[in-house]
Amino acid sequence: MTVIHPSALIAPDATIGAGCRIGPFCTIGPEVVLEAGVELVSHVVVEGITRIGADSRVLPFASIGTPPQDTKYKGEPTRCEVGARTLVREGVTIHRASVGGSGVTTVGAGCMLMAQAHVAHDCQLGEGVVLANNVMLGGHVHVADGAFIGGGAAVHQTVRIGRLAMVSGLAGVTNDIPPFGYVFGLPARLVGFNKVGLLRRGATRDQLRTLRTANNLLFKDPGEFAAKLEQAAARWAEEPLVMEIIAFIRDAARRRQLVRPGRMAAPELGGTDEEPGDGQ
């Protein structure tokens, strides 16, 4: 049964799915769709053209689908979508899209957005993304499946973060992070790859050894980067993890430079330079 607290304010045209639970003092706008089993615990605001996927849970004082913090936005009918089984913790803000992008801010299925995280207009989050407390994503940021962004990290607008990448807490990310990359510091530098995350998702030891060799060639060995990229593509053409990194680097849709390599200032916080932990 759908349960709605009497203090909740729900617009007559809102769509409320079967089995939803809407707690006290929630506010839901007329163009909102809550799919089956969504729970808004209390004091949640959902407005705009916004859809929240089935069995998602939103904790107090979160706001979803509110207008973007963009001076170009003049009330255009942009959208916001949150995937199924996503957990949105206290105080999270997810803004609907502005103009000049895809027209939709997207949070994929099975994500976890911890307290006070901010997802700005036109961001695109894949499935299983984790944003720890106080993460700040600027507008038009793309975060691929399974990426983990540590507490207090700030990500510049239009940055792209590859699949299963990891960003350390308090990092300042101004450039694109390739798939499986592990970045640390302010400004963030590429210090290794997400070995633990890959192992948890079925990567073999042989694949990790190959990935380490390829990372060393691309990001540590001397030489012109374009030449090293061609060498890696020829040498590991049949290795899907390596080719995923190369495809990311070659993607013409990227608007920012690739993150620069570096070394960790404090290895004990996340593993060694060679084998960082993923914190997940």
Side-chain angles (χ1 to χ4, degrees), residues 16 25 54 56 62 72 80 111 135 149 160 168 185 203 217-219:
I16 309 299
F25 304 107
S56 293
K72 300 186 297 297
C80 178
C111 292
V135 165
I149 304 181
R160 294 191 172 217
S168 71
L217 170 63
L218 290 170
F219 304 116

Side-chain angles (χ1 to χ4, degrees), residues 89 168 205 212:
R89 293 298 305 250
S168 71
R205 295 286 178 177
R212 183 188 307 284

Side-chain angles (χ1 to χ4, degrees), residues 126-130 142-149 160-167 177-183 190 192-203 207-208 211 241 244-245 248 276-280:
E127 296 187 358
V129 170
V130 177
H142 286 211
V143 184
D145 295 353
F148 180 97
I149 304 181
R160 294 191 172 217
I161 297 175
R163 185 172 73 93
L164 286 178
M166 182 188 174
V167 177
I177 303 171
F180 326 121
Y182 176 48
V183 302
L190 185 68
F193 67 97
N194 188 359
K195 173 184 175 181
V196 177
L198 284 160
L199 285 172
R200 288 177 178 174
R201 288 159 181 82
Q207 287 178 310
L208 293 183
L211 191 60
L241 298 182
E244 185 173 343
I245 295 173
F248 178 93
D278 71 347
Q280 300 180 45

Side-chain angles (χ1 to χ4, degrees), residues 209-218 221 227-240 242-243 246 250:
R209 281 190 288 270
T210 299
L211 191 60
R212 183 188 307 284
T213 303
N215 271 274
N216 287 340
L217 170 63
L218 290 170
D221 292 352
K228 294 192 295 181
L229 190 65
E230 293 300 324
Q231 181 183 345
R235 180 176 175 182
W236 291 294
E238 304 301 322
E239 294 290 341
V242 177
M243 294 308 297
I246 292 171
R250 288 175 167 172

Side-chain angles (χ1 to χ4, degrees), residues 23 69 140 144 159 162 173 203 208 223 242 264-265:
Q69 298 176 137
H140 303 272
V159 160
V173 182
L208 293 183
V242 177
M264 290 185 65

